[in-house]
Amino acid sequence: MALFSSRTSRRPRIVPALDDAELTRVLGRLSKRNGGGRAADVTLVSSLLKETGDDWDRRGHRMSVLAEATADAGIAAAWLDKEPQSADALVFHSWSALARGLRDGRLEDTGQLVSRCYQAAERRPEDPLPWVVLLGVSRIERYGQNDVNTIWREATGRDRWHREAYLQMLAYLSPEEGGSSAAVLDFVDVVRTRIPANAPCAAVELTAAVRQYQGLLAQGGVRAMTAGQLWEGGQIAAALEQAAALWAKPGFFQHAAAQADLNVLAYALCAAGRAVDAHHVFQALQGTVTPWPWNTDGPAVQRFEQHQAKAERGRQGGVGGA
């Protein structure tokens, strides 16, 4: 990951590729093409993923962004038709189907998707991504906990700190998807002491806290009015304090989706009434916005801009604010 700049932030904008220049280039060229699924599009996607090699973290980032961006473009189907034995083509097709499934709340053909994940795992046994996709399938199909634990072990056995694996498991356990707050807390309690501070999945605890905070706001009434107390003490406050001290330091994070995690940190600090402390995080982001967590109560870029401006005013005036 590129070192963060201390220059004044650029105008906020949503950047799916984050700071991955090669991924940005490919997305830009794909967006200019008409009639998705053409051979040139397949070549762009397949070449980028091949160049990524066995950098599982960046491979997961590129695969997920490309799959979501082209989920309805026919590129995945065209690639698989061209190279039906390719592990990359199998995973990409599966992830594209998963992206549509998570968007629509249902999968088109679960059996076929699962079969292709296993085929990809056979062709490239060291790759965690087929198992990460299966964790996503588990969310939609609501697999039993024992089955999910088995998939989880397969994914993290290949890449112990794979960010997407942790986020898929967190979502599976969440009350919004049929799990429970207790299940999320148990998971976070188990993994928090094991994860290195700068690991790709280091933001899983703070991500869980932001989701809990947003859940309280969504309930309205007294729970919404007192949601800010979540940040005031205990382990969540400690996790936020550590993240605020470390994450935005130049070079501390090296993983592909570091800027997504900094968005979570900036949001959490603002939610906790620590806008002044969020200022250096906004500087590090240089205007790079992720839709979540900002889009829960309005347009993401607009909410980001509002909080960034509040952080700047607080820094100049020495006053915080939620």
Side-chain angles (χ1 to χ4, degrees), residues 89-117:
L90 286 162
V91 174
F92 187 67
H93 193 280
S94 299
W95 208 316
S96 297
L98 175 62
R100 292 192 299 272
L102 290 172
R103 180 193 66 196
D104 300 338
R106 62 178 182 82
L107 294 170
E108 298 165 3
D109 189 333
T110 304
Q112 185 180 71
L113 195 166
V114 170
S115 175
R116 285 175 175 155
C117 286

Side-chain angles (χ1 to χ4, degrees), residues 35 42 48 53 67 81 112 156 162 167 171 175 193 228 271 276 284 288 304:
V42 170
L48 180 65
D81 286 343
Q112 185 180 71
T156 55
H162 198 280
L167 294 181
T193 58
V276 172
T288 298
F304 182 100

Side-chain angles (χ1 to χ4, degrees), residues 123-188:
R123 286 161 175 74
R124 198 173 186 182
E126 69 275 19
D127 188 356
L129 293 193
W131 304 100
V132 173
V133 174
L134 288 172
L135 285 174
V137 173
S138 303
R139 295 169 54 188
I140 300 174
E141 297 298 310
R142 296 312 303 172
Y143 288 172
Q145 187 67 61
N146 289 338
D147 291 333
V148 175
N149 288 342
T150 298
I151 298 170
W152 164 257
R153 287 191 293 269
E154 294 286 357
T156 55
R158 288 161 172 79
D159 186 1
R160 189 175 183 184
W161 312 122
H162 198 280
R163 180 178 182 272
E164 190 65 30
Y166 280 77
L167 294 181
Q168 293 289 347
M169 178 62 94
L170 187 65
Y172 169 82
L173 295 171
S174 70
E176 293 79 13
E177 296 194 12
S180 68
S181 297
V184 170
L185 290 175
D186 287 345
F187 175 65
V188 171

Side-chain angles (χ1 to χ4, degrees), residues 19 28 35 43 46 94 139 141 148 213 259 288 313:
D19 65 349
T43 299
S46 62
S94 299
R139 295 169 54 188
E141 297 298 310
V148 175
Y213 171 77
Q259 290 182 325
T288 298
R313 291 195 301 271

Side-chain angles (χ1 to χ4, degrees), residues 7-22:
R7 295 175 298 170
T8 302
S9 297
R10 295 191 293 269
R11 184 173 181 82
R13 71 279 183 212
I14 292 177
V15 185
L18 303 177
D19 65 349
D20 189 325
E22 284 301 302

Side-chain angles (χ1 to χ4, degrees), residues 55-62 159 162-163 200 254-257:
D55 182 341
W56 306 129
D57 170 66
R58 189 157 298 277
R59 178 171 160 82
H61 171 60
R62 288 177 169 177
D159 186 1
H162 198 280
R163 180 178 182 272
Q254 296 292 323
H255 61 283

Side-chain angles (χ1 to χ4, degrees), residues 35-66:
R38 292 185 302 180
D41 293 331
V42 170
T43 299
L44 278 172
V45 173
S46 62
S47 296
L48 180 65
L49 294 176
K50 183 178 181 180
E51 291 167 6
T52 311
D54 59 359
D55 182 341
W56 306 129
D57 170 66
R58 189 157 298 277
R59 178 171 160 82
H61 171 60
R62 288 177 169 177
M63 187 79 76
S64 64
V65 171
L66 286 167

